[in-house]
Amino acid sequence: MAEKSADRQSKTMSDLTRRIQEQTSQQWQKANQELQRVLRDLGARDAENESFQEMVRDIREKNPSFREFMFSLDAATYDTRKRLSWNAHMTSAYLMNRVEASYTNDLKPLMANYRQQASERLTALKQQLRSMRERFHSAASDSADTQQ
């Protein structure tokens, strides 16, 4: 019984971990796409295939002054910053919701079952102790009666 519960709990945790990894992977892919878009908006011609030095050269050509670069950077990242913030909040809320559901549906009943089993075993042990105490007292009184 306990082995089945442990196997079920292990499988549940593995499934939850797999789902979290899949969602995290999706978020990283989206972030990579956004980074490519921002680099294009800043002036990099082919951000995926260019070297870092070529990207910097392209960005400098499009933004000759620091001020122009900062304006371009702000404009290029505004939507991305808001979207990433929203996605991070929603992902964390979703994960929290899934963790709470997993706790309610899986872990809480499992702990209640363990608690009940422990309580039943403790009750059985108490009963055994009482019966042994009664036998000990009756044996002690029988030996006291035979000695007199």
Side-chain angles (χ1 to χ4, degrees):
M1 171 77 178
E3 192 173 306
K4 285 182 182 180
S5 297
D7 288 342
R8 185 174 56 99
Q9 183 181 12
S10 175
K11 185 178 181 217
T12 302
M13 291 303 290
S14 296
D15 289 343
L16 182 61
T17 302
R18 181 185 48 79
R19 283 187 239 141
I20 290 171
Q21 287 173 342
E22 287 173 0
Q23 290 180 352
T24 303
S25 175
Q26 290 172 358
Q27 291 299 320
W28 279 113
Q29 288 173 354
K30 287 179 183 179
N32 185 35
Q33 291 169 351
E34 288 294 322
L35 177 63
Q36 297 302 322
R37 187 190 62 75
V38 167
L39 288 172
R40 278 192 307 274
D41 289 350
L42 288 174
R45 291 185 187 105
D46 186 14
E48 290 186 32
N49 298 323
E50 280 186 327
S51 71
F52 182 73
Q53 291 172 342
E54 291 171 335
M55 281 191 299
V56 170
R57 180 181 39 83
D58 291 344
I59 292 171
R60 282 185 179 167
E61 283 176 10
K62 184 175 179 185
N63 306 291
S65 72
F66 181 74
R67 184 177 194 175
E68 288 177 24
F69 173 72
M70 291 308 295
F71 285 139
S72 295
L73 182 64
D74 187 45
T77 60
Y78 181 80
D79 290 339
T80 303
R81 285 180 281 145
K82 296 303 179 188
R83 192 176 308 117
L84 289 176
S85 175
W86 173 260
N87 287 344
H89 288 298
M90 291 299 108
T91 300
S92 65
Y94 175 76
L95 290 176
M96 186 62 147
N97 187 358
R98 296 302 303 158
V99 166
E100 288 174 355
S102 178
Y103 169 76
T104 302
N105 296 332
D106 298 325
L107 190 58
K108 193 173 180 180
L110 184 65
M111 294 305 292
N113 185 25
Y114 287 152
R115 191 177 300 129
Q116 171 136 9
Q117 287 178 0
S119 177
E120 289 171 358
R121 288 181 185 168
L122 184 59
T123 303
L125 286 173
K126 284 180 181 178
Q127 186 61 33
Q128 282 181 339
L129 182 61
R130 285 186 190 118
S131 68
M132 291 173 79
R133 186 181 295 154
E134 289 173 4
R135 281 189 275 164
F136 177 73
H137 284 306
S138 66
S141 65
D142 286 344
S143 68
D145 289 341
T146 57
Q147 287 181 355
Q148 290 178 354

